[in-house]
Short mmCIF file of all heavy atoms in Angstrom, two decimals:
data_model
loop_
_atom_site.label_atom_id
_atom_site.label_comp_id
_atom_site.label_asym_id
_atom_site.label_seq_id
_atom_site.Cartn_x
_atom_site.Cartn_y
_atom_site.Cartn_z
N GLU A 779 66.63 267.16 188.89
CA GLU A 779 66.45 267.55 190.29
C GLU A 779 65.07 267.15 190.82
O GLU A 779 64.88 266.71 191.97
CB GLU A 779 66.70 269.05 190.43
CG GLU A 779 68.14 269.50 190.25
CD GLU A 779 68.26 271.00 190.41
OE1 GLU A 779 67.29 271.73 190.65
OE2 GLU A 779 69.44 271.42 190.28
N LEU A 780 64.06 267.31 189.93
CA LEU A 780 62.67 266.88 190.40
C LEU A 780 62.62 265.37 190.58
O LEU A 780 62.04 264.93 191.57
CB LEU A 780 61.64 267.39 189.40
CG LEU A 780 60.15 267.15 189.82
CD1 LEU A 780 59.33 268.32 189.36
CD2 LEU A 780 59.61 265.81 189.24
N LEU A 781 63.18 264.63 189.61
CA LEU A 781 63.19 263.16 189.77
C LEU A 781 63.91 262.73 191.01
O LEU A 781 63.43 261.74 191.74
CB LEU A 781 63.78 262.50 188.52
CG LEU A 781 63.00 262.68 187.18
CD1 LEU A 781 63.76 261.95 186.06
CD2 LEU A 781 61.54 262.30 187.29
N ALA A 782 65.04 263.36 191.25
CA ALA A 782 65.75 262.98 192.50
C ALA A 782 64.99 263.24 193.74
O ALA A 782 64.98 262.45 194.72
CB ALA A 782 67.09 263.76 192.55
N GLN A 783 64.26 264.36 193.77
CA GLN A 783 63.39 264.74 194.88
C GLN A 783 62.26 263.68 195.04
O GLN A 783 61.91 263.26 196.13
CB GLN A 783 62.85 266.15 194.80
CG GLN A 783 62.05 266.61 195.99
CD GLN A 783 62.92 266.68 197.25
OE1 GLN A 783 63.96 267.35 197.24
NE2 GLN A 783 62.51 265.99 198.33
N ALA A 784 61.69 263.32 193.91
CA ALA A 784 60.59 262.34 193.99
C ALA A 784 61.05 261.01 194.50
O ALA A 784 60.32 260.25 195.21
CB ALA A 784 59.96 262.17 192.56
N MET A 785 62.30 260.61 194.08
CA MET A 785 62.78 259.32 194.60
C MET A 785 63.07 259.36 196.11
O MET A 785 62.79 258.43 196.76
CB MET A 785 64.14 259.00 193.86
CG MET A 785 63.88 258.71 192.34
SD MET A 785 65.39 258.61 191.43
CE MET A 785 66.08 257.08 191.98
N LYS A 786 63.52 260.51 196.57
CA LYS A 786 63.74 260.74 197.96
C LYS A 786 62.44 260.72 198.71
O LYS A 786 62.26 260.08 199.79
CB LYS A 786 64.51 262.05 198.25
CG LYS A 786 64.78 262.29 199.63
CD LYS A 786 65.52 263.63 199.80
CE LYS A 786 65.80 263.97 201.27
NZ LYS A 786 66.49 265.28 201.40
N ASP A 787 61.45 261.39 198.24
CA ASP A 787 60.08 261.46 198.89
C ASP A 787 59.47 260.09 198.89
O ASP A 787 58.81 259.70 199.88
CB ASP A 787 59.19 262.46 198.14
CG ASP A 787 59.66 263.89 198.32
OD1 ASP A 787 60.58 264.14 199.20
OD2 ASP A 787 59.15 264.77 197.62
N ALA A 788 59.62 259.35 197.81
CA ALA A 788 59.08 257.95 197.69
C ALA A 788 59.70 257.09 198.75
O ALA A 788 58.99 256.27 199.38
CB ALA A 788 59.12 257.42 196.34
N ARG A 789 60.99 257.15 198.88
CA ARG A 789 61.73 256.31 199.85
C ARG A 789 61.16 256.60 201.28
O ARG A 789 60.91 255.68 202.05
CB ARG A 789 63.24 256.60 199.73
CG ARG A 789 64.06 255.87 200.79
CD ARG A 789 63.74 254.41 200.97
NE ARG A 789 64.85 253.55 201.48
CZ ARG A 789 64.77 252.73 202.47
NH1 ARG A 789 63.57 252.63 203.14
NH2 ARG A 789 65.73 251.96 202.85
N ALA A 790 60.99 257.91 201.62
CA ALA A 790 60.51 258.25 202.92
C ALA A 790 59.02 257.75 203.11
O ALA A 790 58.69 257.30 204.18
CB ALA A 790 60.59 259.74 203.10
N GLU A 791 58.28 257.96 202.10
CA GLU A 791 56.85 257.58 202.20
C GLU A 791 56.73 256.06 202.44
O GLU A 791 55.92 255.65 203.25
CB GLU A 791 56.10 257.97 200.87
CG GLU A 791 54.67 257.64 200.88
CD GLU A 791 53.93 257.93 199.59
OE1 GLU A 791 54.61 258.39 198.60
OE2 GLU A 791 52.75 257.66 199.48
N LEU A 792 57.40 255.23 201.64
CA LEU A 792 57.31 253.83 201.76
C LEU A 792 57.90 253.31 203.09
O LEU A 792 57.51 252.30 203.59
CB LEU A 792 57.85 253.11 200.58
CG LEU A 792 57.19 253.32 199.29
CD1 LEU A 792 57.50 252.21 198.22
CD2 LEU A 792 55.64 253.35 199.42
N THR A 793 58.98 253.99 203.55
CA THR A 793 59.51 253.60 204.84
C THR A 793 58.46 253.79 205.90
O THR A 793 58.28 252.92 206.84
CB THR A 793 60.76 254.51 205.11
OG1 THR A 793 61.73 254.28 204.21
CG2 THR A 793 61.32 254.11 206.54
N ALA A 794 57.68 254.82 205.82
CA ALA A 794 56.58 255.08 206.81
C ALA A 794 55.48 254.08 206.71
O ALA A 794 54.90 253.64 207.63
CB ALA A 794 56.05 256.49 206.69
N LYS A 795 55.23 253.65 205.44
CA LYS A 795 54.05 252.83 205.17
C LYS A 795 54.41 251.32 205.30
O LYS A 795 53.64 250.55 205.79
CB LYS A 795 53.50 253.05 203.79
CG LYS A 795 52.83 254.39 203.61
CD LYS A 795 52.22 254.56 202.18
CE LYS A 795 51.58 255.93 201.98
NZ LYS A 795 50.36 256.07 202.73
N LEU A 796 55.60 250.96 204.81
CA LEU A 796 56.03 249.53 204.73
C LEU A 796 57.16 249.16 205.54
O LEU A 796 57.48 247.95 205.57
CB LEU A 796 56.23 249.16 203.23
CG LEU A 796 55.10 249.47 202.29
CD1 LEU A 796 55.49 249.09 200.86
CD2 LEU A 796 53.78 248.76 202.61
N GLY A 797 57.90 250.05 206.15
CA GLY A 797 59.08 249.79 206.95
C GLY A 797 60.35 250.13 206.26
O GLY A 797 60.44 250.38 205.05
N LYS A 798 61.43 250.04 207.00
CA LYS A 798 62.76 250.40 206.50
C LYS A 798 63.30 249.37 205.54
O LYS A 798 64.12 249.69 204.66
CB LYS A 798 63.77 250.59 207.65
CG LYS A 798 63.42 251.83 208.55
CD LYS A 798 64.46 251.99 209.64
CE LYS A 798 64.23 253.22 210.47
NZ LYS A 798 65.23 253.39 211.57
N ASP A 799 63.06 248.09 205.77
CA ASP A 799 63.62 247.07 205.00
C ASP A 799 62.98 247.04 203.64
O ASP A 799 61.81 246.57 203.49
CB ASP A 799 63.52 245.68 205.68
CG ASP A 799 64.12 244.55 204.92
OD1 ASP A 799 64.75 244.77 203.92
OD2 ASP A 799 63.96 243.38 205.40
N ILE A 800 63.70 247.40 202.58
CA ILE A 800 63.09 247.44 201.24
C ILE A 800 62.77 246.05 200.70
O ILE A 800 61.88 245.88 199.84
CB ILE A 800 64.01 248.21 200.25
CG1 ILE A 800 65.34 247.47 200.10
CG2 ILE A 800 64.25 249.66 200.63
CD1 ILE A 800 66.30 248.08 199.05
N ASN A 801 63.42 245.02 201.20
CA ASN A 801 63.17 243.68 200.76
C ASN A 801 61.80 243.17 201.26
O ASN A 801 61.32 242.12 200.80
CB ASN A 801 64.29 242.70 201.19
CG ASN A 801 65.60 243.02 200.58
OD1 ASN A 801 65.67 243.28 199.38
ND2 ASN A 801 66.68 243.12 201.39
#
Side-chain angles (χ1 to χ4, degrees):
E779 288 180 0
L780 186 144
L781 295 182
Q783 185 63 55
M785 293 169 73
K786 180 180 178 182
D787 292 350
R789 176 46 157 130
E791 180 185 1
L792 294 199
T793 298
K795 292 179 181 293
L796 303 178
K798 291 182 178 180
D799 182 5
I800 60 175
N801 294 316

